[in-house]
Amino acid sequence: MPLALALATALLSSDLDRYVYPLAPAKVCPPISVDTKAAPSLEPWGEEAKNLATAWYPHICQLLATEDYKPLKSINFVFRKDQGAPAYASGNEISFSVEWVTAHPDDLGMVIHELTHLIQAYPRNKVDTGWLVEGIADYIRWWRYEPEAPRSRVNWEKASYRDAYRTTAGWLAWVGKKYNLSLVPKLDRALRKGDDPMPIFKELTGKDADALWGEYRAANEAKSR
């Protein structure tokens, strides 16, 4: 097992004890196939990505509300040229950009983000939740798999908790740590049911999302003074 994977797995395993939420049972990762026909030279990277996903699939299932989740029968990793996005998940497949992986071979974190999307597999929701779906996937990546990675700067004058990705992820991590570590699993459960997840914030913290964002912003602005 690569050193980075071993260290990250150990960190997550030890940190699971801090959760006040009854985590879902771990689930075995389904078989993963890797198609590198578009870039045979990336076969070693594809194998490392496969090993990482196989090791982390059970942990991600534990970090979300996946009690009734039925794992896919198989997962496919496919490398494609001239792909606009570095990676994206659809159905049981994660598609990787040949150009991106070639230029950024250390970006294994995107495997965790896209793998989280495969596990999420949420139904349509009656409200706009795309920002939260991406925020949860980045929370798993940046605050569970890569907790020591440098954080991107936030423009507090323009930012919103609905910005998705790392901005939303950082907010979720801060709210969970301050108020209730069951936040992300409970949001995940609501999303799996197709329910509006926003009442969860008030239920767990006594405050709505706007108020929590205000607290988060104030706390971070105070640090920069």
Side-chain angles (χ1 to χ4, degrees):
M1 179 184 293
L3 180 59
L5 172 58
L7 291 174
T9 301
L11 174 63
L12 184 140
S13 298
S14 64
D15 198 40
L16 287 177
D17 295 336
R18 296 178 56 246
Y19 270 69
V20 295
Y21 184 84
L23 299 174
K27 292 176 172 60
V28 177
C29 183
I32 299 176
S33 66
V34 182
D35 181 352
T36 57
K37 295 186 186 69
S41 63
L42 292 179
E43 184 176 346
W45 192 96
E47 191 63 24
E48 187 172 1
K50 174 182 175 179
N51 292 338
L52 175 66
T54 300
W56 267 75
Y57 186 95
H59 296 315
I60 297 171
C61 286
Q62 284 188 296
L63 290 167
L64 302 176
T66 56
E67 297 92 340
D68 299 322
Y69 166 70
K70 294 182 180 179
L72 296 167
K73 293 182 179 180
S74 64
I75 294 175
N76 303 321
F77 287 177
V78 180
F79 290 77
R80 292 189 168 88
K81 293 182 179 179
D82 303 317
Q83 177 174 293
Y88 64 84
S90 177
N92 71 331
E93 181 178 292
I94 298 177
S95 177
F96 297 103
S97 163
V98 170
E99 292 79 10
W100 181 269
V101 174
T102 300
H104 305 86
D106 293 334
D107 190 9
L108 285 164
M110 67 179 173
V111 177
I112 299 299
H113 179 101
E114 301 303 334
L115 183 63
T116 300
H117 281 326
L118 293 189
I119 295 171
Q120 286 173 314
Y122 301 136
R124 288 184 177 275
N125 202 292
K126 56 190 175 184
V127 298
D128 174 22
T129 59
W131 61 274
L132 184 56
V133 174
E134 295 295 349
I136 290 174
D138 251 15
Y139 166 79
I140 297 295
R141 174 184 176 166
W142 295 108
W143 272 263
R144 309 308 301 163
Y145 172 65
E146 297 180 287
E148 302 302 322
R151 301 291 181 241
S152 57
R153 295 180 64 85
V154 176
N155 183 339
W156 297 106
E157 295 301 319
K158 298 180 179 180
S160 163
Y161 60 85
R162 292 178 177 269
D163 286 347
Y165 299 101
R166 269 187 271 190
T167 300
T168 299
W171 174 63
L172 292 174
W174 184 87
V175 174
K177 183 176 181 180
K178 180 174 181 179
Y179 287 97
N180 195 317
L181 285 171
S182 69
L183 176 66
V184 169
K186 288 200 172 184
L187 290 170
D188 177 79
R189 174 173 286 138
L191 289 165
R192 288 183 188 283
K193 293 179 179 179
D195 294 339
D196 182 355
M198 300 311 288
I200 299 296
F201 291 99
K202 191 71 175 285
E203 174 189 326
L204 294 184
T205 71
K207 301 174 182 179
D208 63 20
D210 290 317
L212 293 168
W213 174 257
E215 284 190 7
Y216 177 58
R217 173 179 171 174
N220 280 276
E221 288 180 330
K223 288 181 183 179
S224 64
R225 290 175 189 150

